[in-house]
Amino acid sequence: MAHLCLFSLLVLSLVLETQALTPTHHLTTTDVARLQAVLSQPFTDLKSAYYSVVGLSKLGIFVADADETCRFINSNLDPSSVESLFYAAEASQALSGCEIPVTNDTRDLLLATVSEDSTASQIHQSVSALSALGLPLASQEVVSALKARISKEDNVLAIILALQTASRLSQQAELGEILEEIEDLAARLDDLGGVYLQFEEGLEATALFVSAAYSLSDHVDMEPPLKEDQVIQLVNSIFSKKSWDSLSEAFSVASAAASLSNNRFHVPVIVSAQGPAAVSHSHPFLQLQVTDVLCQPLSSASVLVESASAVASKSAILSQAPFTLRDGVFELNFMASQPASGYYQFSVAITGDSRFVANHVELKVKVSTRVAINNMDLSVVDKDQSIGPKTTRVEYPTKAKASFMADSHQNFAMTFQLVDETTGVELTPHQTFVRLHNQKTGQEVVFVAEPDSKNLYKFELDTAERKTEFDSISGTYALYLMVGDATLENPILWNVADVVLKFLDEEAPGTIQAKTLYVPKPEIQHLFREPEKKPPTVVSNAFTALVLSPFLLLLILWFKLGANISNFTLSPSTILFHIGHAAMLGLMYVYWTHLNMFQTLKYLAIIGSLTFLAGNRMLAQKAVKS
Amino acid sequence: MSNSVFSVISRFVEEYRSSTPNKLKMIDAYLLYILLTGVFQFLYCVLVGTFPFNSFLSGFISCVGSFILAVCLRIQINPQNKRDFLTVSPERAFADFLFAHTVLHLVVVNFVG
C-alpha cells in the first residue's frame, strides 16, 4: 500500500514537473533601459519626484544630482499633508544625505493618522513616513487599525497597501492575520488562459501586489503561498506590457521587478538563446543568456543539459552536459557531439539556488550543415535499350560541355547523391527540383527528383510521356538542379547541362500561348425560355368548332324530344332566378378574362345569394303546383 | 353470336324508347353532349399535343364533373328511385345540381388560365 502511494506520488510529481510553465513575456535589456528612461524624466511635483527617485533606486540606479533633488523635495514639501510627508520621506530615504526637517507637529500629525478612522492609504502613508523618518511608532496599534480597515474596505488596493504597511512594522507584532491576506488576494487573481494571472483592477494592482507580498514575506521570513506556476503567470502579466501609460505604472513595474529579482523565496529565471538557437560547423557553440527578470545575469547559476534528443528519430544525443560561463553567457559546444543535421529538443536545467523558479526549460535547436552533390551522372537511354547508355559525369559547379539530345525514342536520365559536406552522411532535403527552362520561349517545367531506398536521387524524363507539360515545343532547354532545406546553409541552384528535346513537329502549337488564367472569360448570353411551339391557327380553329359542335346536337335532340318552355310562369321569382343564373354564367366569363378569385367570389356572393333566394321561391312554387 | 348481341341491343333501345320518361331522356341527351365534348377535347390532345396542359385539364375535368353531376341529378329525379331519396325532392336535387355546378365552374375557370 505504501509502495503504491509512493509510486503514484512519484508519477504525479513527474507529470507536474513536465508541465511546469516558463515565462513567455519578460523584459529585455532595451525594455529595462526604456523603463529607466521613463523613470528618469524630469519631475514636476513631489509625487512624480517620489516615483522617479524611489523607482530608480529599486532598479539600482541613483539620481545624478542628489542635492538638487533634495532641495526640490524640501521646497515642495507641505508639512500639514500626510501624503506630501510620505512622498518626501520615502524619496529622501532613497537619496543619500538628504534630510527632511521633522517637528513635533509633524510627528503628532503622522501618529494621529494611525487609527481606524483613516483610510488604508492614509495609514500606509503615515506609517511609511514615520519609518522613513526614523520616528517611533506603535506596531500593535497599526496592526489593529489595519485589520479594521481591511474588513471595512474590502478592495484589492487597500489590502495591498495594508501588506506594504505591515512590512514596515516591528517583527514582534502579530502580523499573522495580515499575512493570510496574501493568500486571499492570490485567490482573487484572474487566470487568463493559463498564461496570465492578474487582477481585474489592472497591471498596476498586480505589480504592487507582487512587490507588497514579497516585501512582507521577506520581513517575516515566511514563504508566500504562491505556487511556482502562479509566479510565472504573474511574471507574464506584469512584463507583457513594454511601454507604460503613467509614471505610477512604471514605478509599480520597477518595484515588482526589483522584488522578483531579489527576494528570499522565489527568483524567476529567464533563459533565452542569444540569436537564433542554431549551430553549425561555422558556429558550433549554443549560447544561452540566463538572467533574472531585470536582465541581470545569474552568476551563481550552473546550467546543465539534462537531455538532448533528435526530433525526428527521438534518439538521445546528450545527457547531463554542462554549459560553461564565458563573459556572462552560457555556452556549449554542441557540434563536438557530431550531431546530424536537423532539429533537436533540449531540456535544460538551471541549478545553483533553491530560489530559482521555472528553472527547467525546453528549447528547440537547429543543426545546419552544408550539402555537397556527388556522382552527378547524366545519360540518354534508348527506350528499347538496344544501345547502351552513355553516362557523363558532371562536377558541381561546372556545366556539362556537350548538350544532350533526346527525342521520343529516348529517355533522359539523371542520378546523383546529396551528402553532408563534412561527415559524408547522405541527406534527403525537403526540396530537390529539376527545372527545364527554354531560353527562347521562356517556358519552364519543374519536376521533383525522388530518392530511392539507398538515398540515391534519380530523375528520368520520358520525352513522349511528358510532351503535354512542354506543349510539344522542341528546342534547347537549360537543366537546373535546385536543392533547398531549412537545415541547409548552402541552397543550390546549378545549371547542370543543356538538353535538346525533340517532339513530333505536328503537335507543336503555332504560337506560344501564355497560360491564360486571369483573362476575362467569354461572356455568357442568357437564353430566355423559348415559348412552346403552338400548332397552326387552322388546326386550333377546326378543333374549337369540333368541340362546340355537340351543343348543336344537344339542341337538336332536345327539340326532337319535345323540350319546351310552356310551363314558364312569369312570376318575379322565376324571372329573377333566370336573370341571376345568367348573371352567374356571365360572371364566369368575366372571371376568365378580367377578374381574380377574390373579386369573383365577392360578386358571386351577391349574385349567388339573390339567385338562391329566387330559385328557392321558384322551386317551392313548382313543388306546390306539382 | 353477333345475332344475340344485336337482338339484345335492339331490345334495349326499344325498352329505353318506351319506358323512359321524357325528363330523363332530356338529361340523357345532355349527358351525350357532355360526353362528346370531352371526347373531342381528348382527341385534340392526342392528335395535336398537350400545350397548354392546364387548359386541357381544366376543360376535361369540367366535362367529367358535369357528367357526374348530371348523372347524380338523373338518379335523384328518377321516380323509380324515389324510395332511396325520401328527403330529396326533385327540386332540391336540381338546386343541388346548380350549386355544385357553380363551384365546379369556379374552379374550372380558375384553372383554365
Side-chain angles (χ1 to χ4, degrees):
Chain A
M1 191 60 187
H3 285 295
L4 198 66
C5 285
L6 213 65
F7 178 71
S8 53
L9 210 69
L10 187 68
V11 168
L12 197 68
S13 63
L14 277 174
V15 166
L16 285 175
E17 209 167 69
T18 51
Q19 288 174 343
L21 281 180
T22 50
T24 48
H25 296 278
H26 59 92
L27 294 176
T28 60
T29 39
T30 40
D31 296 326
V32 175
R34 200 181 306 125
L35 186 61
Q36 284 173 10
V38 169
L39 290 169
S40 309
Q41 280 169 1
F43 25 85
T44 49
D45 60 358
L46 195 55
K47 186 169 174 182
S48 53
Y50 157 72
Y51 283 135
S52 295
V53 172
V54 181
L56 285 172
S57 76
K58 290 202 195 268
L59 294 177
I61 298 165
F62 296 98
V63 179
D65 201 347
D67 289 331
E68 176 69 43
T69 318
C70 197
R71 268 196 295 273
F72 179 84
I73 293 170
N74 271 316
S75 57
N76 284 42
L77 169 63
D78 174 13
S80 59
S81 150
V82 173
E83 194 176 339
S84 181
L85 283 165
F86 162 67
Y87 291 140
E90 291 279 306
S92 66
Q93 201 188 31
L95 297 166
S96 59
C98 188
E99 291 285 331
I100 307 272
V102 178
T103 63
N104 278 350
D105 293 329
T106 320
R107 192 191 58 201
D108 292 335
L109 171 66
L110 290 173
L111 284 169
T113 322
V114 178
S115 82
E116 282 180 24
D117 304 314
S118 325
T119 63
S121 167
Q122 285 170 327
I123 300 178
H124 165 244
Q125 284 168 347
S126 53
V127 169
S128 307
L130 284 166
S131 146
L133 292 170
L135 298 169
L137 48 84
S139 295
Q140 205 50 47
E141 265 180 50
V142 178
V143 171
S144 46
L146 282 177
K147 277 197 251 186
R149 286 323 299 180
I150 287 173
S151 50
K152 271 196 218 155
E153 297 173 53
D154 191 30
N155 63 59
V156 163
L157 272 158
I159 304 178
I160 291 173
L161 288 171
L163 292 174
Q164 268 296 7
T165 318
S167 66
R168 301 301 198 101
L169 301 174
S170 148
Q171 283 171 334
Q172 272 75 43
E174 284 172 24
L175 302 171
E177 278 188 38
I178 299 183
L179 199 63
E180 280 167 20
E181 294 294 333
I182 299 180
E183 198 166 354
D184 290 342
L185 273 185
R188 277 163 130 173
L189 288 160
D190 295 325
D191 186 330
L192 301 175
V195 177
Y196 302 101
L197 202 60
Q198 60 193 51
F199 285 115
E200 64 179 12
E201 282 83 357
L203 171 65
E204 212 176 311
T206 317
L208 286 173
F209 165 67
V210 167
S211 64
Y214 280 104
S215 61
L216 183 58
S217 304
D218 278 353
H219 188 65
V220 300
D221 203 11
M222 277 185 66
E223 191 175 346
L226 293 169
K227 295 197 274 281
E228 281 194 21
D229 280 354
Q230 285 181 310
V231 176
I232 299 302
Q233 284 178 311
L234 285 166
V235 166
N236 284 341
S237 298
I238 296 171
F239 301 117
S240 58
K241 195 170 178 190
K242 305 299 175 83
S243 73
W244 303 276
D245 296 328
S246 63
L247 201 55
S248 58
E249 202 176 47
F251 170 75
S252 66
V253 171
S255 307
S259 47
L260 282 172
S261 58
N262 188 16
N263 66 71
R264 279 190 229 162
F265 304 102
H266 301 141
V267 174
V269 171
I270 313 277
V271 178
S272 52
Q274 197 161 30
V279 295
S280 61
H281 285 286
S282 47
H283 302 280
F285 284 97
L286 177 65
Q287 291 176 322
L288 292 181
Q289 271 185 323
V290 179
T291 64
D292 61 12
V293 291
L294 274 175
C295 283
Q296 289 157 347
L298 295 169
S299 43
S300 62
S302 57
V303 184
L304 188 76
V305 178
E306 286 189 333
S307 70
S309 54
V311 168
S313 60
K314 307 242 192 304
S315 57
I317 302 278
L318 281 183
S319 181
Q320 310 294 331
F323 277 74
T324 47
L325 176 61
R326 194 162 66 108
D327 293 335
V329 174
F330 287 89
E331 53 179 39
L332 172 76
N333 187 342
F334 189 38
M335 288 312 282
S337 339
Q338 293 178 331
S341 67
Y343 287 92
Y344 292 85
Q345 190 73 18
F346 272 53
S347 179
V348 179
I350 298 107
T351 50
D353 195 323
S354 58
R355 295 177 301 166
F356 286 156
V357 170
N359 51 352
H360 286 267
V361 183
E362 300 277 316
L363 277 179
K364 204 161 181 186
V365 179
K366 179 170 88 167
V367 176
S368 320
T369 183
R370 294 177 62 84
V371 70
I373 306 180
N374 284 354
N375 307 337
M376 168 65 86
D377 291 328
L378 305 168
S379 54
V380 177
V381 186
D382 231 44
K383 276 209 190 138
D384 52 7
Q385 295 188 335
S386 56
I387 311 168
K390 264 194 299 99
T391 318
T392 314
R393 171 150 299 189
V394 192
E395 292 293 328
Y396 178 71
T398 57
K399 186 170 156 172
K401 288 193 204 47
S403 54
F404 294 82
M405 296 263 299
D407 62 16
S408 53
H409 303 294
Q410 289 149 341
N411 285 350
F412 174 78
M414 194 163 91
T415 60
F416 56 95
Q417 266 186 320
L418 295 171
V419 296
D420 190 326
E421 211 176 55
T422 35
T423 61
V425 172
E426 283 144 2
L427 292 176
T428 49
H430 286 157
Q431 299 167 336
T432 43
F433 301 136
V434 176
R435 172 177 173 248
L436 287 141
H437 179 229
N438 186 334
Q439 278 131 348
K440 252 199 314 197
T441 63
Q443 257 185 313
E444 67 174 20
V445 185
V446 182
F447 299 99
V448 178
E450 307 253 326
D452 64 8
S453 51
K454 291 202 274 289
N455 284 340
L456 180 71
Y457 277 87
K458 275 200 177 71
F459 167 67
E460 243 187 51
L461 178 62
D462 185 342
T463 326
E465 216 179 292
R466 297 280 179 201
K467 60 174 191 263
T468 42
E469 271 95 336
F470 289 92
D471 279 339
S472 300
I473 297 170
S474 316
T476 310
Y477 287 82
L479 185 101
Y480 290 87
L481 176 69
M482 305 200 291
V483 177
D485 190 277
T487 57
L488 286 185
E489 285 190 326
N490 58 337
I492 290 175
L493 176 67
W494 178 24
N495 185 357
V496 183
D498 283 331
V499 181
V500 180
L501 295 175
K502 270 187 77 60
F503 299 96
L504 296 167
D505 275 326
E506 55 255 25
E507 286 158 350
T511 50
I512 315 294
Q513 287 161 329
K515 285 259 182 295
T516 52
L517 284 172
Y518 301 109
V519 296
K521 297 246 182 335
E523 199 177 319
I524 304 171
Q525 297 287 13
H526 181 76
L527 273 175
F528 286 100
R529 209 185 78 171
E530 304 272 345
E532 283 200 34
K533 218 158 50 79
K534 284 199 279 218
T537 328
V538 180
V539 177
S540 299
N541 288 345
F543 270 97
T544 313
L546 185 65
V547 164
L548 291 174
S549 61
F551 188 63
L552 282 168
L553 180 68
L554 177 71
L555 290 175
I556 293 168
L557 279 174
W558 273 357
F559 183 67
K560 273 189 68 183
L561 285 169
N564 50 38
I565 52 170
S566 54
N567 261 350
F568 194 78
T569 51
L570 235 67
S571 65
S573 51
T574 323
I575 297 172
L576 201 62
F577 168 74
H578 281 99
I579 290 173
H581 192 221
M584 285 205 315
L585 292 173
L587 180 67
M588 286 297 138
Y589 175 74
V590 175
Y591 175 32
W592 183 38
T593 48
H594 297 299
L595 301 174
N596 61 34
M597 179 66 97
F598 301 106
Q599 293 165 314
T600 314
L601 284 177
K602 194 171 64 177
Y603 294 132
L604 193 68
I606 303 166
I607 301 173
S609 48
L610 282 171
T611 314
F612 172 72
L613 290 168
N616 202 11
R617 175 78 72 76
M618 180 193 81
L619 288 172
Q621 284 172 350
K622 196 139 191 280
V624 163
K625 245 198 348 193
S626 60
Chain B
M1 190 64 188
S2 60
N3 214 11
S4 58
V5 169
F6 185 68
S7 65
V8 166
I9 290 175
S10 60
R11 183 90 202 276
F12 171 72
V13 169
E14 202 47 55
E15 279 260 359
Y16 179 75
R17 273 224 192 107
S18 55
S19 59
T20 323
N22 226 13
K23 266 199 190 156
L24 296 182
K25 280 198 191 142
M26 302 246 284
I27 297 180
D28 290 338
Y30 175 71
L31 285 174
L32 181 69
Y33 152 64
I34 295 289
L35 185 76
L36 285 176
T37 312
V39 163
F40 289 146
Q41 281 183 43
F42 192 72
L43 202 68
Y44 171 84
C45 235
V46 165
L47 289 179
V48 184
T50 57
F51 180 77
F53 195 53
N54 60 314
S55 307
F56 160 67
L57 277 182
S58 153
F60 196 69
I61 294 292
S62 166
C63 291
V64 170
S66 301
F67 191 87
I68 291 167
L69 289 172
V71 166
C72 289
L73 181 67
R74 190 186 192 277
I75 291 173
Q76 286 179 332
I77 283 182
N78 199 347
Q80 288 173 331
N81 294 340
K82 204 160 181 165
R83 266 172 305 166
D84 295 327
F85 295 105
L86 286 171
T87 56
V88 182
S89 64
E91 287 75 27
R92 172 69 197 277
F94 184 65
D96 286 343
F97 174 77
L98 286 182
F99 177 70
H101 258 287
T102 310
V103 175
L104 177 70
H105 278 94
L106 206 63
V107 172
V108 160
V109 171
N110 187 31
F111 200 53
V112 79

